[in-house]
Amino acid sequence: MLNIDLYIGLSLIRRPSAAEHSQATLFVDAFKQSPVSGSRFWRGSASLDELLALLGRFLGRTRAREAMADYARQRGVKTVELLPADGATVHHAESLLTGAVGSASARVMIASVVEEEPLNFGEVMHIIDDASQVLAYSRRLEQQSRELEAATTELRDANVRLRELDQMKDDFISTVTHELRTPLTSIRAFSEILRDNPTLAQAQRENFLAIIIRESERLTRLINQVLDLAKLESGNTAWQFNQFDLREAIEESVNAMGQVFRDNRVTVQTHLPANAPDIVADRDRIMQVLFNLLSNAAKFCIEGEGRIRVSLTQGERVLRVDVADNGIGISPEDQAIIFDKFRQAGDTLTQKPKGSGLGLAISRTIVEHFGGRLWVASRLGSGATFSFTLPLMRNAAPRPAPGAAA
Amino acid sequence: MSARILVVEDDPNILLSVQFLLQNAGYTVQTAADGLQAWAALQADPPQLVVLDVMLPVLDGFELCKRIRAHAVCHRTRVLILSARGGEAEMEKSRQLGTDAHLRKPFATRDLLETVARLLVV
């Protein structure tokens, strides 16, 4: 009987072609292969050099040699080269590799250097399981990495937006500072001039005093508007909800501005329907919008022969107000910026336009608060029409024309 | 002959006040309402001093200052900046550009006249 506990042919064969290749033929008893013991014996022939090269690849050349030298000492062999490439050596190499690449991969790699080693079905299944686990894991990793990447992009975008907002805030403060300091500069300079030059001619005194008063008014207006806008934007505005007739509001605002129109020699025409349903909004705020649009129109009309046309029309769900002037018009580029804070049409011209540059920003905020829209239509050279809408109440009954029979 | 000063300022009221103050103190005053106008005047006949607003239309004060410093004809021209933004960054930029003095708006008229006098003596 064959002694199944012993390797047969444990001889070291020197290949004539490669003298340094130590080679051994290994046999193992199939009955001895027990999964419980954890010892797997290899059958077939292996080259010690190939095992070392394989280990070196994953553990590093030095570490691989040291690990195998330890193993050689355990087996009572003097050097690694004298180590027999037998089943035990191959198994040890496999266990070393397992630590680095996982058991299934180690098994496949070792099989690649062990000739004539057939993998049995169970092993193949194990390898496949192992590999599919690795695949699933790497898919999960990939998915997570994609999610992480998306999150990173989102964060980066948010950061950019925050920085833009911060920049906008800085720009705003810087602009407000400039706009506040400018009238203050004239007020202080002319006050000191008047104080230090008591013998100024009457006409000059009056001119300087008029400038001080005008610039004080400009400063007051600006402060009020900056505060108003800050209040609107912070959401701390106490909005009123009044039910009112927009036609009346338009007539009232046009009448209230009569002096401004006369001073600027502007004629105003109103085109109001005989009746219109009430709307619900903050009446004072809507009046503020009307004043803003009317005074803008008066400011930018043709000098001396300004004409403004104010009309109210009823749409399906909204009332629409149009304020048209016959001024120089607004270029498409300027139309895009005039609703921004402190941006005005013709800002680059030598003659700065009048006003704070906040009126339209405030007006748009107000109209949008009540669910409406505010926009401009214009062509350079043929006037501008500012329009806004306000939504109608549901089931709103048209209010009869004043004095009309019910 | 009194020193000639170019005042560059786009706000007509501030321009008028500075012009009055300097003429009242005996200087000859030239004015410009934007950077390009000022640059043309500077090249034609550089004054001893430019009183310069920063936020100017067309060509801003700092850009004009760079041109003045790079232009040989203006090498004796002094630059006094009047700035309304008045942040620390603006003061620093002003220093880097080699301006001779920097006043923040609103200024005391006495400070303006003293600074002008000091710049024209040196």
Side-chain angles (χ1 to χ4, degrees), chain A residues 263-392:
Chain A
D263 288 350
N264 290 283
R265 281 190 285 160
V266 172
T267 57
V268 184
Q269 282 186 312
T270 50
H271 297 261
L272 306 176
N275 53 58
D278 282 353
I279 53 160
V280 171
D282 189 322
R283 192 175 190 275
D284 289 345
R285 287 295 190 177
I286 299 304
M287 290 290 285
Q288 190 183 350
V289 173
L290 287 166
F291 282 135
N292 175 241
L293 297 185
L294 288 170
S295 65
N296 279 350
K299 229 180 285 176
F300 295 103
C301 267
I302 295 177
E303 238 175 295
E305 46 188 284
R307 279 194 315 278
I308 299 175
R309 186 178 188 278
V310 187
S311 57
L312 177 70
T313 45
Q314 184 180 342
E316 211 173 299
R317 292 201 183 88
V318 295
L319 285 186
R320 170 175 167 168
V321 179
D322 295 285
V323 179
D325 64 57
N326 67 339
I328 53 164
I330 304 165
S331 71
E333 297 77 39
D334 282 341
Q335 287 177 35
I337 62 155
I338 51 172
F339 294 97
D340 296 347
K341 293 168 227 166
F342 292 117
R343 301 288 293 273
Q344 289 165 301
D347 218 355
T348 52
L349 298 177
T350 308
Q351 192 59 53
K352 278 228 163 207
K354 300 163 207 148
S356 66
L358 292 175
L360 285 174
I362 291 173
S363 292
R364 181 174 261 185
T365 308
I366 292 169
V367 168
E368 287 179 355
H369 179 82
F370 291 106
R373 287 199 309 126
L374 170 61
W375 71 96
V376 65
S378 177
R379 266 210 329 255
L380 263 184
S382 52
T385 302
F386 284 83
S387 310
F388 71 90
T389 57
L390 286 169
L392 288 172

Side-chain angles (χ1 to χ4, degrees), chain B residues 23-69:
Chain B
Q23 278 172 347
N24 206 34
Y27 301 108
T28 305
V29 179
Q30 231 183 321
T31 63
D34 70 60
L36 269 189
Q37 245 183 51
W39 181 231
L42 274 157
Q43 283 173 301
D45 187 8
Q48 279 97 320
L49 172 70
V50 184
V51 176
L52 193 54
D53 179 26
V54 177
M55 272 184 56
L56 286 170
V58 193
L59 184 73
D60 80 28
F62 284 143
E63 196 49 46
L64 184 61
C65 192
K66 268 187 218 162
R67 292 198 186 181
I68 293 170
R69 284 291 171 255

Side-chain angles (χ1 to χ4, degrees), chain A residues 174 177-178 181-182 184-186 188-190 192-193 197 200 204 208 211 214-215 218 348-350 352, chain B residues 10-14 16-17 20-21 24 33-34 37 55 57-58 83-85 104-110:
Chain A
S174 179
T177 304
H178 178 269
R181 283 175 187 276
T182 299
L184 205 52
T185 305
S186 298
R188 176 156 192 188
F190 283 116
E192 292 190 14
I193 287 170
N197 301 276
L200 279 180
Q204 206 163 24
F208 290 175
I211 292 175
R214 256 197 336 263
E215 293 296 279
R218 175 177 162 196
T348 52
L349 298 177
T350 308
K352 278 228 163 207
Chain B
D10 66 329
D11 183 282
N13 298 316
I14 299 176
L16 181 63
S17 69
F20 176 89
L21 285 164
N24 206 34
D34 70 60
Q37 245 183 51
M55 272 184 56
V58 193
S83 110
R85 287 204 184 217
R104 190 178 286 190
K105 291 177 185 172
F107 49 84
T109 51
R110 185 190 299 170

Side-chain angles (χ1 to χ4, degrees), chain A residues 84-273:
Chain A
D86 57 12
T89 303
V90 170
H91 178 65
H92 186 72
E94 186 190 339
S95 67
L96 284 174
L97 260 187
T98 301
V101 299
S103 64
S105 306
R107 186 111 185 95
V108 174
M109 287 173 188
I110 291 293
S112 74
V113 296
V114 176
E115 288 163 26
E116 294 159 16
E117 165 63 18
L119 295 170
N120 68 36
F121 180 70
E123 282 171 328
V124 171
M125 288 309 283
H126 176 63
I127 289 165
I128 290 169
D129 284 353
D130 215 5
S132 57
Q133 271 170 31
V134 169
L135 262 179
Y137 180 62
S138 88
R139 258 190 229 114
R140 227 170 31 241
L141 267 183
E142 222 170 274
Q143 172 69 23
Q144 280 169 354
S145 132
R146 264 198 303 273
E147 283 167 13
L148 210 64
E149 213 170 287
T152 308
T153 311
E154 231 168 81
L155 273 176
R156 201 179 298 132
D157 290 352
N159 199 22
V160 168
R161 276 198 301 278
L162 270 179
R163 237 180 275 166
E164 279 170 3
L165 273 178
D166 220 37
Q167 184 62 46
M168 272 168 65
K169 207 183 78 198
D170 285 355
D171 288 350
F172 180 72
I173 289 170
S174 179
T175 311
V176 171
T177 304
H178 178 269
E179 296 300 308
L180 293 173
R181 283 175 187 276
T182 299
L184 205 52
T185 305
S186 298
I187 293 169
R188 176 156 192 188
F190 283 116
S191 303
E192 292 190 14
I193 287 170
L194 287 167
R195 180 197 62 193
D196 298 340
N197 301 276
T199 57
L200 279 180
Q202 183 67 19
Q204 206 163 24
R205 286 181 65 84
E206 277 169 14
N207 182 30
F208 290 175
L209 281 167
I211 292 175
I212 291 172
I213 293 164
R214 256 197 336 263
E215 293 296 279
S216 306
E217 286 166 356
R218 175 177 162 196
L219 197 56
T220 309
R221 251 193 331 268
L222 182 68
I223 291 169
N224 287 340
Q225 290 202 315
V226 169
L227 287 178
D228 197 20
L229 192 65
K231 211 163 67 181
L232 288 175
E233 288 187 342
S234 70
N236 288 333
T237 315
W239 297 97
Q240 302 286 318
F241 287 89
N242 319 111
Q243 181 175 340
F244 66 97
D245 186 349
L246 194 51
R247 293 172 306 164
E248 271 176 28
I250 292 170
E251 277 173 342
E252 193 182 321
S253 60
V254 170
N255 289 336
M257 288 193 57
Q259 194 56 49
V260 176
F261 294 138
R262 279 190 291 279
D263 288 350
N264 290 283
R265 281 190 285 160
V266 172
T267 57
V268 184
Q269 282 186 312
T270 50
H271 297 261
L272 306 176

